[in-house]
Amino acid sequence: MNTSRITRALVASAAAACLVGAVAACQDSSSDSSSTTAKTGGGGEIPKGLKTVSMPKQLGNPYEELEHSGVTEAMEELGGTNRVVGPTDAGASSQVPLINSVTQQKPDAFIIAGNDPNAVAPALKAMAKAGVKVVAMDSDVAPDARTVFINQANTQGVGEDQIKLVCELVPKCTGEIAILSATANAPNQNAWIKVMKEVLKQDAYKGLKLVKVAYGDDDDQKSFQEMQGLVKAYPNLKGVIAPTTVGISAGARYLSTSPFKGKIVMTGLGTPNQMRKFVKDGTVTAFQLWNPKDVGYLAGFAAANLVAGNITGKEGETFEAGKLGERTIGKDGEILLGPLQRFDKANIDDFDF
Amino acid sequence: MSRNSLAPGADTAPAPDGGSGAGRGPLARLASAAGRWEFLILLLIIATCVAGQAISPQFLSRASFMTGSLDFTEVALMALPLTLIIITAEIDLSVASVLALSSALMAWLWMHDVPMVPTVLLCLVAGALCGLFNGLLVTKGGLPSLAVTIGTLALFRGLAYVVIGDQSVTDFPTAWTDWGFGMVGTSILPNTIAVFAVLAVIFAVLLHGSRFGRSIYAIGANQEAAYFSGIKVKRIKLILFVISGVVSALAGVIISLRNSTAAANVGQGFELTAIAAVVLGGVSIFGGRGTVGGVVLALFLLAAIQKALSLSESISTAWIQVVTGALLIGSVLGPNLVSRMNEARARARMRGDAQARPPTTSQEEAV
């Protein structure tokens, strides 16, 4: 009885081993993609029929779906195709098995928004070795694991654009303004605020006076109370910039039911879905964020130009990015999307994220 | 649940239809082999290989095996102790959370300049403590393991975030991380799968060739009877939970090395895939039955299905979960239905054909 059970276990293991052997015996099918043949090198045309795969952090996120639809739009414009493949959870390593499978499919290029900069790096390096061009967008991966990175917003640009917008919205660009930030040590927000303070020193903005930076800790309730506090403490307040999606919607919610609705300018970084009702009811005139679809669109063009050999990822190289115009590769292979997208009554219904 | 010839391990108690086929004709033996669960899984693997190759010409390739098995390492490791636990009619849902806690702890220790060897050892000790916690609540506390480990599933994952937050640590020594995604020599067998293979043999011998293993089956078949026949039911269960904790922690170390990243959010949902593999491998979710060989085959099947689906250019990855779930239900339902049919047939035979009752009637009665 006992020995027969062991035998059976061994037989089963042997069967598994046979399967391993069978797979091992299989030839490594190395069918090279035919569309990469049209390499022209430097300034050449983009070959038709390019195949790309783009990978969001997680399936089912409307923001990311928009981003990756941008890649698809770019590829279709260039006569190629893009396929979106992604994991169902955003764990640090959930993308790895899928990346490995994409490597086997050998598309011309691969575009990824990384869940974790380093967890995906070994798999991406293996992919690059197999001849696939790797482009990161939105969330960068380890720089040696991709050729270029599409940065939706650099610190300087985000800071400048927000001051530009508040200046436009506050009557005569004159009066007291405040900032409603996330936590006191949030690195992104602090970097932007630092730029804003620098920009405010310029002559064009000398009418604006920054009176306070408040911290809502990216908590809806806390942000709401901080907004209330700002309005009470500074009776001459003309505008509030909230460079965080939590802050801007909490601030707008407070204003929408207060007597200051329409009198104090509320602006900053927000998503259209969150802000739609405040724009429609007149609490908020305009706010900003990068346009996610353009992030993907630019990534698609960068990928195609890499495949065509027009660019190699070196600083200073330039390429045409369709409707976005010419783009230049910056330091460490970074390509900037450009100015923030402005959302207001006129265009907010064109966006769903 | 009634016994049937389809399920592996049915020989722990005499099967109603007379047993293992030894001493019968070769045809009968072939028929009984064909009826075995492992054989079915084998057929499914072949079907998956055919379908996979149709889906993508890349399917039957060295790269598929290397990456497909590598990506399945952690689930495969965790399925081994789970097999033993489920045979005792208990369950451990916290395995993937222990994996995450181990990964987070590894990150924390490495950040605090603890050398690699003690770091790994401490992770394994932490895993053992997690398992001990589960085991004590189940055995001393007399609580159902389903409830206990649903609790610790949340608890351990939460602790992982307490330890490391949303940070991740990536600067492990390259000698270790290279091993994590390397192959044995120049073969296509990943190092991590070699570790799994060794453990699988150890678990197979433990379960199928030792007193300890016989006790595990006895507990699953009838806990009361096992207790009164002198088997230390509680102690064996406690040991199994501790083993599960240690192996899950090992899986946490391996996934961190393999991805050269330790973080708290790794391995989400792995427990479900591991349980699916165990049940699909013919282990009865009600205890008392199952083999390590069957589970190994089921792991191979699941990995092959995942690889095939992820290589497809038209099927969304969301279908991987759908298929895994369907297989899980099918593997619980399938043996159940077959055993009912077998019993019905056996009873009809016992009543004798002389009465010539229509078989449909007797089947209904039997059900």
Side-chain angles (χ1 to χ4, degrees), chain B residues 1-288:
Chain B
M1 197 181 151
S2 50
R3 310 195 172 279
N4 62 80
S5 59
L6 241 181
D11 49 351
T12 50
D17 59 335
S20 60
R24 283 192 274 162
L27 256 177
R29 228 177 300 164
L30 192 71
S32 98
R36 286 185 61 80
W37 190 254
E38 283 91 341
F39 188 78
L40 263 180
I41 301 285
L42 214 56
L43 284 182
L44 280 174
I45 291 176
I46 292 166
T48 307
C49 287
V50 172
Q53 192 65 12
I55 284 175
S56 164
Q58 305 290 331
F59 181 71
L60 290 176
S61 66
R62 296 159 60 90
S64 279
F65 181 77
M66 288 193 279
T67 60
S69 62
L70 192 61
D71 292 334
F72 229 70
T73 305
E74 294 78 26
V75 166
L77 283 173
M78 295 188 298
L80 291 173
L82 255 182
T83 302
L84 274 51
I85 288 181
I86 294 180
I87 290 176
T88 66
E90 299 287 349
I91 199 152
D92 186 352
L93 293 171
S94 70
V95 285
S97 298
V98 175
L99 172 146
L101 182 55
S102 159
S103 184
L105 187 65
M106 187 169 159
W108 190 88
L109 290 169
W110 184 248
M111 256 175 12
H112 290 76
D113 300 323
V114 179
M116 209 56 199
V117 172
T119 294
V120 171
L121 290 177
L122 282 171
C123 286
L124 297 185
V125 169
L129 290 176
C130 288
L132 189 68
F133 185 71
N134 279 334
L136 285 176
L137 284 177
V138 171
T139 57
K140 303 281 181 220
L143 302 169
S145 54
L146 184 73
V148 168
T149 57
I150 279 186
T152 51
L153 177 147
L155 178 72
F156 296 151
R157 177 75 68 176
L159 276 178
Y161 281 103
V162 169
V163 169
I164 189 79
D166 52 7
Q167 285 175 281
S168 62
V169 166
T170 58
D171 56 346
F172 297 111
T174 41
W176 288 72
T177 52
D178 283 350
W179 177 87
F181 51 83
M183 306 290 144
V184 177
T186 53
S187 73
I188 60 161
L189 184 73
N191 289 325
T192 58
I193 292 297
V195 171
F196 164 74
V198 170
L199 281 180
V201 170
I202 293 174
F203 274 88
V205 170
L206 190 67
L207 181 64
H208 303 295
S210 78
R211 251 183 93 137
F212 187 74
R214 280 193 296 282
S215 306
I216 289 173
Y217 281 115
I219 293 170
N222 188 333
Q223 183 164 308
E224 303 277 292
Y227 177 77
F228 285 115
S229 66
I231 292 173
K232 293 187 171 105
V233 175
K234 286 186 175 179
R235 193 208 256 168
I236 286 175
K237 284 186 181 175
L238 189 65
I239 292 172
L240 289 182
F241 275 103
V242 171
I243 293 176
S244 176
V246 174
V247 174
S248 301
L250 175 68
V253 170
I254 284 181
I255 199 170
S256 307
L257 294 177
R258 191 164 74 73
N259 294 319
S260 43
T261 301
N265 64 355
V266 290
Q268 291 171 61
F270 277 15
E271 65 279 337
L272 290 183
T273 317
I275 291 168
V278 173
V279 177
L280 184 60
V283 175
S284 165
I285 197 78
F286 306 102

Side-chain angles (χ1 to χ4, degrees), chain A residues 189-226:
Chain A
Q189 274 78 10
N190 283 351
W192 294 329
I193 291 169
K194 205 173 144 203
V195 174
M196 289 188 214
K197 284 179 175 166
E198 286 299 313
V199 173
L200 281 172
K201 287 178 189 161
Q202 296 170 11
D203 271 356
Y205 307 114
K206 64 174 187 288
L208 295 173
K209 190 177 166 226
L210 179 64
V211 291
K212 170 93 178 165
V213 179
Y215 298 99
D217 293 350
D218 261 354
D219 174 279
D220 182 69
Q221 207 52 43
K222 176 101 194 292
S223 303
F224 187 89
Q225 287 160 4
E226 287 294 323

Side-chain angles (χ1 to χ4, degrees), chain A residues 198-280:
Chain A
E198 286 299 313
V199 173
L200 281 172
K201 287 178 189 161
Q202 296 170 11
D203 271 356
Y205 307 114
K206 64 174 187 288
L208 295 173
K209 190 177 166 226
L210 179 64
V211 291
K212 170 93 178 165
V213 179
Y215 298 99
D217 293 350
D218 261 354
D219 174 279
D220 182 69
Q221 207 52 43
K222 176 101 194 292
S223 303
F224 187 89
Q225 287 160 4
E226 287 294 323
M227 183 69 190
Q228 203 171 13
L230 282 175
V231 170
K232 293 262 155 65
Y234 301 96
N236 296 321
L237 199 63
K238 294 286 183 246
V240 177
I241 304 170
T244 148
T245 57
V246 180
I248 190 174
S249 66
R253 204 176 72 240
Y254 169 73
L255 286 183
S256 69
T257 55
S258 80
F260 308 102
K261 175 176 166 183
K263 294 197 177 87
I264 293 179
V265 168
M266 183 77 222
T267 186
L269 303 179
T271 68
N273 285 352
Q274 223 180 1
M275 300 301 291
R276 194 175 323 270
K277 59 175 183 285
F278 302 121
V279 169
K280 298 220 160 154

Side-chain angles (χ1 to χ4, degrees), chain A residues 134-136 140-151 312-317 328-336:
Chain A
V134 179
V135 173
D140 201 3
V141 299
D144 59 344
R146 48 83 175 153
T147 313
V148 292
F149 166 56
I150 311 300
N151 195 347
T312 59
K314 279 198 200 73
E315 190 174 351
E317 290 176 331
T328 307
I329 301 177
K331 209 167 151 273
D332 297 326
E334 275 195 21
I335 303 170
L336 255 184

Side-chain angles (χ1 to χ4, degrees), chain A residues 5 25 35 51 71 101-102 126 128 157 167 190 248 266 279 304 343:
Chain A
R5 222 178 290 140
S35 49
K51 279 190 184 145
V71 180
S101 290
V102 172
C167 172
N190 283 351
I248 190 174
M266 183 77 222
V279 169
F343 302 97

Side-chain angles (χ1 to χ4, degrees), chain A residues 57 63-64 67 112-114 136-140 149-152 290 295:
Chain A
K57 295 179 186 181
Y63 174 87
E64 287 207 88
E67 225 172 40
I112 182 172
M137 69 173 184
D138 185 301
S139 309
D140 201 3
F149 166 56
I150 311 300
N151 195 347
Q152 64 271 48
W290 39 90
V295 179

